[in-house]
Amino acid sequence: MYRLSLILLFFVSLPAQAAELAPTLGQTNSIIGIICLAMFVISYGFVMTEEFTGLRKSKPVIMASGIIWILAAYLAIQNGYGREEIRGRLMHDLMNYAELLLFLLVSMTYTNAMTERNVFEVLRSWLSTKQFSYRQLFWITGVIAFFLSSFANNMTTALLVGAVVMAFADKDAKSFVNLSFINIVVAANAGGAFSPFGDITTLMVWQSGHVPFIEFFQLFIPALLNFAIPALCMQFFVPNTLPPVNKQEEKVRLKTGAKRITAFFILTIIFAILGEQYLFIPPFMGMMVGLSFLMMLSYHFSISNAFEGHYDIFNCVRDSEWDTLLFFFGVVFAVGGLQFIGYLDLLSHTLYVDMGPTQANITLGILSSVIDNIPVMFSVLSMHPEMNTAQWQLITLTTGVGGSLLSVGSAAGVALMGQGKGLYTFVGHLKWMPVILLGYIVSIYVHLMING
């Protein structure tokens, strides 16, 4: 169990982005270090049992992060560390969290704004008029998520397509929502793995020079199989009936400004990608610039006589999934404290020296089923393992699609747990892990056959 806990926490290493970090404490065998490790594991246990306890996932991890850092700081002082070394570690974690927070906040705000302007309701209404069955909708939303995530962030894709699925949610469609959300998570993670623009991790690998631009697309077939195999298995459990149609329902129309908000969101994503690629601006800055466009547009709405009632964009900010945003705070700071204690140093040699790159990369993909793939990729890049292009493609693939094994393994899954309103849960996703694992294994095998 102790070694398993250590492997679980491999992703705690985030490379310094602003300054040289203080050395790790090297206190992994101390009583305080083990207590900190146990605190993290226990808090994650509460996250996994949220469906049964009713305890929101942000609460235990925030508490764990506070206790871990109090103990880690005490341990650092006992080992001769001063104020600047300890604060430097905390500020490093704060910078990483701030980038994540701002990116997700803008994405959620735009999603809420488009929801309020009936964008997803109109799409739902259009799909309803086409008389698609639940099973057909399952495939349509999955395919959209797969290709959309090849140039948009997987969480943004999941929130957008998930909003369409939720528009069909009713008392008789629980299995449809649960399976569709699982399908969206798998599709969004798989679609982001074969494109340099599909995920932050692929951007990092591309910019590090380990995989040339064109060779990312060699992962298309493995990624497609990773999505298609679980979908083929799950489709038989999706109702093949038509969603109920309310004949008395008036035709849904877009509210004023809906098209402009949608266009601004697309431009925001494009700006974030191009800014990262050509101007070396972190993605959150491009997203914040896009948020400013939305805010100025909302001001125009508020003074326009053609607008339906008062409009305040900060209502959309308020309605963001704050439990999810605070959950990431707890995770980033909890694992940052554990990194300071020295758990990554204990694992890096075991993974890439003792196990070898292929086994290590496959293992890291499985690890990304319980944590986000971004810190995993940061960890790999920070260690600079000696690997050829096929192995760098493999770690790109496994960390991208491995997060689909559990609902907490990727930002897409965590976000949809909040959006699902109890219809999509950790346990509901866990029941289908065997078929998702089958897709994971097949995608790795195919990659090694055609690219390795």
Side-chain angles (χ1 to χ4, degrees), residues 62-195:
I62 289 178
M63 177 177 288
S65 68
I67 296 174
I68 287 171
W69 262 107
I70 290 172
L71 295 175
Y74 172 79
L75 192 61
I77 292 172
Q78 296 301 308
N79 283 271
Y81 284 70
R83 174 188 179 91
E84 294 305 318
E85 289 88 352
I86 296 173
R87 285 180 59 87
R89 282 282 179 172
L90 274 168
M91 292 302 102
H92 174 261
D93 293 342
L94 178 62
M95 180 172 62
N96 283 285
Y97 173 66
E99 291 186 5
L100 181 63
L101 170 68
L102 295 174
F103 185 96
L104 298 182
L105 184 61
V106 175
S107 177
M108 290 179 175
T109 300
Y110 262 105
T111 301
N112 291 337
M114 289 188 292
T115 300
E116 191 275 335
R117 294 287 91 189
N118 281 351
V119 172
F120 303 112
E121 186 64 18
V122 168
L123 179 57
R124 180 208 62 82
S125 178
W126 180 83
L127 290 173
S128 180
T129 60
K130 298 300 181 181
Q131 292 293 291
F132 292 122
S133 66
Y134 283 123
R135 188 173 297 177
Q136 289 173 317
L137 291 170
F138 168 85
W139 277 105
I140 291 171
T141 53
V143 170
I144 291 174
F146 180 79
F147 286 101
L148 181 61
S149 65
S150 65
F151 59 87
N153 179 270
N154 66 343
M155 180 174 178
T156 301
T157 297
L159 288 172
L160 288 173
V161 184
V164 176
V165 170
M166 285 300 295
F168 286 93
D170 57 48
K171 62 181 181 179
D172 299 321
K174 183 175 181 179
S175 63
F176 162 71
V177 173
N178 182 61
L179 290 172
S180 292
F181 273 22
I182 296 172
N183 195 40
I184 290 170
V185 171
V186 175
N189 290 334
F194 72 86
S195 168

